[in-house]
């Protein structure tokens, strides 16, 4: 069995009950295909990056599951048949993505915020104008020049 994530967008004209019914239908399909649902997240109504079918918002839903590869074809056929689904994306998680998803779920359930990733950056000196060697001592005469002689 492989680890998969599927994200799908439901049309925004659905009522709350209709949206939940559509999600339950997808979950029932996965369970009927002997898939194990690991995690489910309702991301809610969000603005789309670009209009789809003259709609600018949609209900986003994420489901993480373990299944055999042949289940994906059945799932995506169901997405295409259901007119409430306006977009979907399903992909297989490699071992690193699966570990990250597990870590993200555990942090979410404990309520601990993850530490931000800090990258070390080396600031390079920007030179404006001619390059000057720092080892050379320069003496600058500050007296005004007398041009009357």
């Amino acid at each position: 069995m492989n680890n998969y994530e599927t994200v799908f967008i439901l049309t925004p004209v659905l009522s709350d009950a209709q949206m939940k019914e559509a999600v339950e239908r997808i979950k029932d399909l996965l369970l009927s295909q002997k898939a194990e649902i690991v995690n489910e997240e309702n991301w809610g109504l969000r603005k789309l990056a670009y209009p789809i079918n003259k709609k600018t918002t949609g209900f986003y839903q994420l489901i993480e599951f373990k299944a055999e590869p042949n289940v994906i074809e059945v799932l995506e056929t169901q997405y295409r048949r259901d007119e409430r689904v306006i977009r979907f994306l399903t992909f297989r998680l490699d071992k690193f993505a699966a570990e990250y998803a597990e870590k993200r779920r555990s942090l979410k359930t404990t309520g601990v915020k993850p530490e931000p990733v800090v990258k070390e950056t080396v600031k390079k000196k920007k030179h404006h104008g001619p390059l000057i060697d720092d080892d050379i001592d320069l003496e600058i005469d500050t007296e005004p020049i007398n041009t009357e002689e």
Side-chain angles (χ1 to χ4, degrees):
M1 291 179 93
N2 294 326
N3 291 316
Y4 292 96
E5 264 188 10
T6 184
V7 177
F8 54 97
I9 306 171
L10 298 170
T11 184
V13 297
L14 300 176
S15 69
D16 196 40
Q18 291 172 325
M19 183 200 58
K20 288 179 181 176
E21 191 269 326
V23 172
E24 286 301 317
R25 181 179 247 178
I26 297 297
K27 286 171 44 180
D28 290 344
L29 174 75
L30 288 171
L31 294 174
S32 70
Q33 296 290 319
K34 297 182 178 69
E36 176 191 341
I37 295 178
V38 178
N39 185 32
E40 176 190 357
E41 294 179 19
N42 180 3
W43 292 350
L45 186 67
R46 292 183 169 213
K47 188 169 191 248
L48 302 174
Y50 53 90
I52 301 172
N53 299 334
K54 298 181 181 177
K55 309 230 180 344
T56 58
T57 58
F59 291 105
Y60 281 70
Q61 188 76 29
L62 167 100
I63 299 175
E64 294 177 47
F65 60 97
K66 292 180 182 178
E68 296 297 328
N70 59 352
V71 173
I72 303 307
E73 186 176 336
V74 175
L75 175 66
E76 291 188 350
T77 301
Q78 179 61 34
Y79 281 149
R80 288 184 184 94
R81 287 181 181 165
D82 194 343
E83 61 188 26
R84 298 173 291 189
V85 177
I86 57 177
R87 280 289 189 273
F88 63 90
L89 176 65
T90 303
F91 53 94
R92 185 177 63 85
L93 300 174
D94 62 2
K95 66 178 184 178
F96 301 110
E99 288 173 11
Y100 175 77
E102 178 66 36
K103 186 176 180 182
R104 184 174 58 89
R105 280 193 307 272
S106 67
L107 289 176
K108 190 173 118 180
T109 57
T110 59
V112 177
K113 290 188 178 182
E115 293 182 23
V117 177
V118 178
K119 294 182 180 179
E120 282 189 36
T121 57
V122 178
K123 291 185 179 179
K124 293 184 179 180
K125 219 178 198 182
K126 292 184 180 180
H127 295 284
H128 300 288
L131 297 176
I132 300 174
D133 191 0
D134 292 332
D135 295 334
I136 299 174
D137 290 330
L138 297 177
E139 292 183 21
I140 300 173
D141 188 13
T142 59
E143 294 180 21
I145 300 174
N146 188 1
T147 56
E148 296 177 9
E149 280 191 19

